[in-house]
Amino acid sequence: ALRRGGGGGEGVELLFTYDYGMDGGGTAAPPAQGGFLALRPSAAAFAALCAVVRGGDFRKGQGWAGSLIGPYWGGMTIQGLVPYYYLRVEPTGRAAREVDRCIYNNMADNARCRATPLADIANVHFTVCHKPWICLAHHEYDLCSRLHDRWFALRARLERRLGLPPPPRGP
């Protein structure tokens, strides 16, 4: 189970976050955010997921099997396949659980996520904040600066443990 009550448990095969910002509306479900998936399907679920992909019934503008799940960026991939499978093929609701995206896939893409205390964030998706190794000095949001500082601190700790000299930090 994930820390801080993230939602694992008996029979849960998938912990995920939705990407509400990528859903243009008119869909039956928003895309799963491909940046964070904790997926451990049963053998039967894995076979069924493979069968959906091999079946190839993805329709332009309509998504998987015309379900209106998947007609968005990444909809033919895991971002559409996951919501389609767990909402239409295996819709019991017990196998998949959405977790708080501000804790488990924080992208700093909305006010609530940007206000999440750094100590509460378990997983970061560097997209709005950009990848720290690109070394962009300008950050639109304070949280991005703090996340980058934390990333560089973790990197420095690993480099010390491995006996590597720390590289210079960008601008």
Side-chain angles (χ1 to χ4, degrees):
L2 295 173
R3 66 187 177 112
R4 287 190 286 281
E10 190 67 33
V12 175
E13 298 178 352
L14 169 69
L15 300 173
F16 71 101
T17 61
Y18 280 123
D19 191 340
Y20 296 100
M22 290 296 292
D23 187 10
T27 65
Q33 208 329 302
F36 177 84
L37 296 169
L39 181 64
R40 188 177 182 184
S42 65
F46 181 75
L49 281 160
C50 290
V52 169
V53 173
R54 288 183 183 125
D57 189 6
F58 186 88
R59 304 172 196 173
K60 185 176 180 177
Q62 297 178 3
W64 288 100
S67 66
L68 294 178
I69 299 176
Y72 32 67
W73 180 261
M76 291 180 79
T77 68
I78 200 79
Q79 292 180 200
L81 177 63
V82 162
Y84 172 70
Y85 177 78
Y86 285 101
L87 292 172
R88 293 292 190 271
V89 178
E90 175 57 45
T92 64
R94 70 177 185 277
R97 186 157 305 137
E98 180 182 12
V99 294
D100 187 333
R101 70 194 200 109
C102 296
I103 294 174
Y104 291 102
N105 195 34
N106 195 313
M107 295 191 292
D109 62 334
N110 65 57
R112 186 175 75 82
C113 290
R114 288 190 295 272
T116 302
L118 191 61
D120 291 347
I121 299 172
N123 177 268
V124 176
H125 184 151
F126 288 115
T127 181
V128 172
C129 293
H130 303 290
K131 303 342 180 212
W133 50 91
I134 294 174
C135 300
L136 296 175
H138 166 30
H139 298 295
E140 184 175 352
Y141 305 114
D142 177 61
L143 178 61
C144 292
S145 294
R146 291 184 289 126
L147 289 169
H148 280 203
D149 289 345
R150 179 70 177 133
W151 186 88
F152 277 104
L154 290 169
R155 176 181 165 163
R157 189 170 80 189
L158 176 62
E159 289 167 340
R160 282 191 304 277
R161 185 181 303 160
L162 296 174
L164 300 173
R169 186 165 172 184

